[in-house]
Amino acid sequence: MTGDSPPEPFPARRRPDAGIVAAVIDALRARFGPRLSTGHALREQHASTLTWVPNQPPDAVVFPQDTDEVRSVVKLCAEHGVPIIPFGTGSSLEGHVNAPHGGISVDLSSMNRILAVHPEDLDVVVQAGVTRKMLNEHLRDQGLFFPIDPGADASLGGMAATRASGTNAVRYGTMRDAVLALTVVLPNGDVVRTAPRARKSSAGYDLTRLLVGSEGTLGIITELTLRLSGIPEAIAAGLCPFPSIEAACEATILTIQAGLPIARIELLDEVQVRACNAYSRLALPETPLLLVEFHGSDASVREQSERFGEIADAHGGGPFRWATEAEERTRLWQARHDAYWAAMSLRPGAKAISTDVCVPISRLAECVQAAKRDILESGLVAPIVGHVGDGNFHCLLLVDPDLPEEVARATGFIDRLVRHALALEGTCSGEHGIGQKKMRFMAEEHAPATLALMRSLKRAIDPRGIMNPGKLLDL
């Protein structure tokens, strides 16, 4: 492109000819044997499973075991213009793994080897199919852990692809901060490593950050070098009820502004608490709650806990219930991680629409309160949970998809929630990503020139548009 000339149009994405797809599947079957499947049930399992997004299965699923095998799949698909859909564990929530144009789902779950641990450097090299729980089990005896915790036992490759976050993000950051380097198979079959293992580099473009959060639209992540942390000497967790959502949010804001190095601070509204009590057999006070956790030395944890107690008390919070024993902490956080399934039990038979936004921490209370009012006025069942230490919260709408009027109310709520977050200088998604369902908000969040740059990158790296088409960007 030169001067003011418009970019060349991106090739229209259509389902490839059935004969071409059949030929690609035959070639893959010759290479992979039983690790290639066209079974209907398995193909449906590799499309959206956790949301109300319609299921759009791929034409086949292949299970490679290393980077070279992924490369062979990509080269074959690239040669024939067949779409490729990377698949980790299928726990994403915005339709990332659907195959709207058919194609080959590349399931990386068999790529589950931990390749190297460097405890002296606090990093690890893993294949993309390793899950966070698998990694932490392997690291435990070395006094190390991987802190990014989105709740689901997601694959680390998928977590990088969607720029995942979670309950520990307020202290340890997100996948953007945790990934040091990637090995990626590009849409033409080339294999690139984005960076060395050094903690920083100023040599060239930051390709690692470009590919973290690219949702499989620029290539397939096959290996990751990840930053690790030492297991803290002391951990204290607890819960604190508040008289209102506003009070809980204001306590959170002051905690962050005061510089307390809190590890986790999670909000549950009274609807979510009621669901957790029933599902996880707890007896939590059914008011808005903050679940908190502190990491450090015995002295620092005690000091942080006391300071947070003072902040909470000033906003009407309490009484505290502390959980210093590992078993009790695990039960408490497992209940938080089971919030999705707990919420589903509030309305059996309904479909879940999980959505998230993120705003500057100073605007958190305003945004959460507005969401709560809108839920009540819309007559929806929608618990609220949030990683509120970084301004990110989620609403899980429970909707009967056979009732068009109810679906319309839910869609209208999501639109208003996102637009309010954008008006507060926030984002349409703090950690779920864009996938299929939030593409419509990209033009509202980003300026035309910004979107044009994103599209130029996509065209340059994936000129045939075969990598996870129909996601992230409207081309």
Side-chain angles (χ1 to χ4, degrees):
M1 189 174 82
T2 59
D4 295 324
S5 302
E8 294 183 8
F10 204 81
R13 183 73 261 172
R14 299 184 300 271
R15 182 177 287 271
D17 180 81
I20 292 176
V21 174
V24 168
I25 291 173
D26 286 344
L28 290 173
R29 184 175 285 111
R31 168 79 188 261
F32 290 93
R35 290 190 285 130
L36 184 284
S37 176
T38 56
H40 180 72
L42 185 68
R43 290 189 295 115
E44 282 201 333
Q45 290 168 13
H46 281 74
S48 282
T49 56
L50 292 177
T51 72
W52 72 332
V53 182
N55 191 283
Q56 298 169 314
D59 295 299
V61 182
V62 65
F63 295 84
Q65 295 179 340
D66 57 32
T67 297
D68 188 60
E69 289 193 342
V70 173
R71 181 175 180 270
S72 70
V73 175
V74 172
K75 285 184 74 67
L76 181 64
C77 289
E79 182 181 346
H80 294 87
V82 172
I84 302 164
I85 305 93
F87 185 94
T89 62
S91 57
S92 55
L93 294 168
E94 297 291 352
H96 294 89
V97 297
N98 258 346
H101 307 289
I104 307 300
S105 175
V106 181
D107 186 319
L108 303 169
S109 60
S110 297
M111 296 178 58
N112 58 7
R113 289 188 295 136
I114 296 168
L115 302 174
V117 180
H118 306 108
E120 65 281 3
D121 294 321
L122 293 176
D123 70 51
V124 63
V125 183
V126 301
Q127 288 186 308
V130 173
T131 68
R132 65 175 187 88
K133 287 184 180 179
M134 187 187 307
L135 177 59
N136 279 327
E137 184 67 27
H138 182 86
L139 295 171
R140 182 179 302 162
D141 292 341
Q142 301 185 58
L144 302 171
F145 81 118
F146 180 69
I148 311 303
D149 178 7
D153 189 21
S155 68
L156 294 164
M159 288 170 61
T162 55
R163 202 184 300 139
S165 180
T167 59
N168 279 322
V170 63
R171 175 160 182 161
Y172 296 99
T174 72
M175 286 300 285
R176 180 186 64 184
D177 309 293
V179 178
L180 297 173
L182 297 169
T183 298
V184 180
V185 179
L186 297 179
N188 64 356
D190 287 349
V191 177
V192 299
R193 182 168 172 80
T194 61
R197 202 162 55 83
R199 284 301 176 105
K200 64 179 182 179
S201 170
S202 58
Y205 296 122
D206 192 344
L207 299 179
T208 305
R209 297 299 175 271
L210 172 63
L211 288 157
V212 171
S214 60
E215 300 187 11
T217 63
L218 301 179
I220 300 180
I221 296 168
T222 60
E223 295 179 10
L224 308 90
T225 302
L226 301 170
R227 188 190 305 263
L228 302 177
S229 296
I231 294 175
E233 172 190 330
I235 299 175
L239 61 91
C240 183
F242 284 84
S244 66
I245 286 280
E246 179 184 15
C249 289
E250 292 293 348
T252 299
I253 293 168
L254 187 54
T255 297
I256 302 304
Q257 292 175 341
L260 273 183
I262 196 163
R264 290 169 161 173
I265 182 163
E266 296 285 299
L267 171 71
L268 285 73
D269 77 348
E270 70 281 1
V271 181
Q272 184 63 64
V273 174
R274 185 166 68 250
C276 288
N277 279 342
Y279 185 84
S280 301
R281 295 184 175 89
L282 300 175
L284 305 177
E286 294 185 358
T287 65
L289 289 180
L290 288 180
L291 305 183
V292 297
E293 188 168 281
F294 302 94
H295 295 176
S297 66
D298 287 326
S300 67
V301 164
R302 184 165 52 253
E303 181 181 350
Q304 293 166 32
S305 302
E306 290 173 356
R307 179 71 182 110
F308 177 77
E310 294 170 359
I311 292 171
D313 183 66
H315 290 85
F320 273 106
R321 191 178 107 194
W322 291 105
T324 53
E325 296 298 323
E327 183 177 345
E328 190 176 358
R329 285 201 314 272
T330 298
R331 186 165 181 241
L332 189 63
W333 287 112
Q334 187 59 50
R336 167 61 185 90
H337 289 329
D338 288 341
Y340 178 94
W341 306 109
M344 291 287 288
S345 68
L346 290 173
R347 193 176 180 190
K351 291 288 187 179
I353 312 171
S354 183
T355 192
D356 80 313
V357 294
C358 188
V359 296
I361 188 70
S362 63
R363 316 303 295 272
L364 174 66
E366 178 183 351
C367 197
V368 177
Q369 282 182 278
K372 187 70 174 176
R373 285 194 302 270
D374 199 343
I375 289 168
L376 295 174
E377 291 169 2
S378 300
L380 297 166
V381 179
I384 293 176
V385 298
H387 316 308
V388 286
D390 51 17
N392 182 205
F393 69 96
H394 309 253
C395 302
L396 187 71
L397 289 78
L398 301 173
V399 175
D400 186 340
D402 296 325
L403 298 177
E405 187 272 338
E406 189 170 313
V407 171
R409 278 188 284 133
T411 302
F413 167 78
I414 292 172
D415 288 352
R416 291 188 296 275
L417 173 67
V418 168
R419 288 176 180 131
H420 190 206
L422 296 179
L424 298 177
E425 298 181 274
T427 176
C428 68
S429 180
E431 61 184 18
H432 286 188
I434 300 302
Q436 291 176 306
K437 294 303 291 181
K438 284 196 170 177
M439 285 174 60
R440 68 186 190 276
F441 298 121
M442 289 290 279
E444 297 185 43
E445 179 162 338
H446 298 291
T450 305
L451 286 175
L453 178 58
M454 292 184 190
R455 292 184 179 114
S456 295
L457 289 167
K458 171 69 172 174
R459 289 187 182 95
I461 297 171
D462 183 19
R464 298 195 69 179
I466 64 170
M467 276 292 174
N468 214 9
K471 321 291 169 60
L472 187 60
L473 286 173
D474 180 5
L475 298 167

